[in-house]
Amino acid sequence: ACLSLWGKVTHRDQTQEALLYGVTPNYFSINRETLTQGRTFEPEDITLMRRVCLLPEWSIPSLYPHARSNPLGTQIQLLGEPFTVIGVLKQKDSSFLHQLGLLKQETSLLVYLPLPYLQRAYRTENLSFLQAETQTGKESSTQYQAIEWLKKRRGQEVDFKSESLAQYLTLSNKI
């Protein structure tokens, strides 16, 4: 699950707009993210609402323009509170995300933080998107089970569309 919102991020005397991704611990494995340093979120980070975050490699120069040091353990200000950087994600080719409109070309800063923390800060239970990894041949039943669970939890209709990676790739080839 992911909620993406724009917010201010400060490190020392630098404040800038950043895309904030509130995510669950399994987000990183589903998206095949690779750590270069540190760790990803643990379940306790979520349940205890720890103020921890991760940065993709390409975001580091925006926050640390003069530093060649490791950002692990440093603090940045998010949502008016200090967050500790616990991990750095390997740089990936983001051209596919740009094509789908999920990431703007001018985005120079992205910060991952625990989903419940971002939801609480913005007083919302909304999600920007859900992702799931399914076993081959069980895609549709797993997807619809997740949607039915959401409908029951929310007590209302849920607007959704379900697409496989193959469908996304077909769409991107048409762009």
Coordinates of all heavy atoms in Angstrom, one line a residue, residues 34 36 56-58 89-93:
T34 N 16.3 -2.5 -4.1 CA 17.5 -3.0 -3.5 C 18.2 -2.0 -2.6 O 18.3 -0.8 -3.0 CB 18.5 -3.4 -4.6 OG1 17.9 -4.3 -5.5 CG2 19.8 -4.0 -4.1
T36 N 21.3 -0.2 -0.8 CA 22.7 -0.1 -0.9 C 23.3 0.1 0.5 O 24.5 -0.2 0.7 CB 23.1 1.1 -1.8 OG1 22.6 2.3 -1.2 CG2 22.6 1.0 -3.2
P56 N 16.0 7.2 -1.9 CA 16.6 6.6 -3.0 C 17.9 7.3 -3.3 O 18.1 8.5 -3.0 CB 15.6 6.8 -4.2 CG 14.7 7.9 -3.7 CD 14.8 8.0 -2.2
E57 N 18.9 6.6 -3.9 CA 20.2 7.2 -4.1 C 20.1 8.6 -4.9 O 20.8 9.5 -4.6 CB 21.1 6.3 -5.0 CG 21.7 5.2 -4.2 CD 22.6 4.3 -5.1 OE1 22.2 4.1 -6.3 OE2 23.6 3.8 -4.6
W58 N 19.2 8.7 -5.9 CA 19.1 9.9 -6.7 C 18.6 11.1 -5.9 O 18.7 12.2 -6.4 CB 18.3 9.6 -7.9 CG 16.9 9.1 -7.8 CD1 16.5 7.8 -7.8 CD2 15.7 9.9 -7.6 NE1 15.1 7.8 -7.6 CE2 14.6 9.0 -7.5 CE3 15.5 11.3 -7.5 CZ2 13.3 9.5 -7.2 CZ3 14.2 11.7 -7.3 CH2 13.1 10.8 -7.2
L89 N 18.2 3.4 -1.0 CA 17.8 2.4 -2.0 C 18.6 2.7 -3.3 O 18.8 3.8 -3.7 CB 16.3 2.6 -2.4 CG 15.3 2.3 -1.2 CD1 13.9 2.7 -1.5 CD2 15.4 0.8 -0.8
K90 N 19.0 1.6 -3.9 CA 19.8 1.6 -5.2 C 19.0 2.4 -6.3 O 17.8 2.2 -6.4 CB 20.1 0.2 -5.7 CG 20.9 0.1 -6.9 CD 21.3 -1.3 -7.2 CE 22.2 -1.3 -8.4 NZ 22.5 -2.7 -8.8
Q91 N 19.7 3.1 -7.0 CA 19.1 3.9 -8.1 C 18.5 2.9 -9.2 O 19.2 2.0 -9.6 CB 20.1 4.8 -8.7 CG 19.4 5.7 -9.8 CD 20.2 7.0 -10.0 OE1 21.0 7.4 -9.1 NE2 19.9 7.7 -11.1
K92 N 17.3 3.2 -9.6 CA 16.6 2.4 -10.6 C 16.3 3.3 -11.8 O 16.2 4.5 -11.6 CB 15.3 1.8 -10.1 CG 15.6 0.7 -9.1 CD 14.3 0.3 -8.4 CE 13.3 -0.5 -9.3 NZ 12.1 -1.0 -8.6
D93 N 16.1 2.7 -12.9 CA 15.7 3.4 -14.1 C 14.2 3.8 -13.8 O 13.4 3.0 -13.7 CB 15.8 2.6 -15.3 CG 15.3 3.3 -16.6 OD1 15.0 4.5 -16.5 OD2 15.2 2.6 -17.6

